Amino acid sequence: QVQLVESGGGLVQAGGSLRLSCVASGSGFSIDDMGWYRQAPGKQRELVAAITNDGSTNYADSVKGRFTISRDNAKNTVYLQMNMLKPVDTAVYYCKVVVLITSALSSYYWGQGTQVTVSS
């Protein structure tokens, strides 16, 4: 079993920055892809950014150039640096971690979510 603990959310003014962290803990697991998703009120959860085990990244068009995803494999941690925040970025942000069970089987886990609110 893998537990994910997120931190770093909060209230910030438009144009400001926040850094989210997500730490995976447990035993006997190997992490593959890691990512951040967000869900605004009344909307579906959407991908914000993802990073593979070898460091390849993927971003939603709406955050390209403003957000940066990174990971520290030694700490089982994924980060999301968010700059130039806009009110439309307001949402609950969730980390998602893909765990390798075997070479052909994987599972995934979600964090509990952290609220990001951007005021205008």
Side-chain angles (χ1 to χ4, degrees):
Q1 190 73 10
V2 177
Q3 294 81 41
L4 302 178
V5 177
E6 302 168 4
S7 62
L11 173 64
V12 65
Q13 288 187 332
S17 299
L18 286 174
R19 188 192 194 206
L20 306 183
S21 300
C22 175
V23 181
S25 63
S27 62
F29 64 91
S30 176
I31 296 176
D32 195 9
D33 296 348
M34 308 178 85
W36 289 95
Y37 290 70
R38 67 187 180 187
Q39 187 166 19
K43 295 188 176 182
Q44 290 187 334
R45 191 172 297 187
E46 62 175 1
L47 173 69
V48 176
I51 184 167
T52 65
N53 197 22
D54 63 1
S56 297
T57 58
N58 180 42
Y59 294 93
D61 288 343
S62 60
V63 306
K64 285 181 180 177
R66 301 188 297 123
F67 291 11
T68 302
I69 189 171
S70 61
R71 63 190 285 171
D72 185 334
N73 291 334
K75 296 181 179 180
N76 291 333
T77 302
V78 60
Y79 305 96
L80 185 68
Q81 177 66 44
M82 304 184 293
N83 299 327
M84 296 182 287
L85 282 160
K86 305 175 181 179
V88 295
D89 296 318
T90 295
V92 178
Y93 284 70
Y94 300 89
C95 70
K96 178 183 177 182
V97 171
V98 177
V99 173
L100 297 175
I101 300 173
T102 69
S103 60
L105 181 65
S106 63
S107 184
Y108 60 89
Y109 298 85
W110 290 99
Q112 81 282 3
T114 184
Q115 177 70 46
V116 172
T117 303
V118 185
S119 63
S120 58

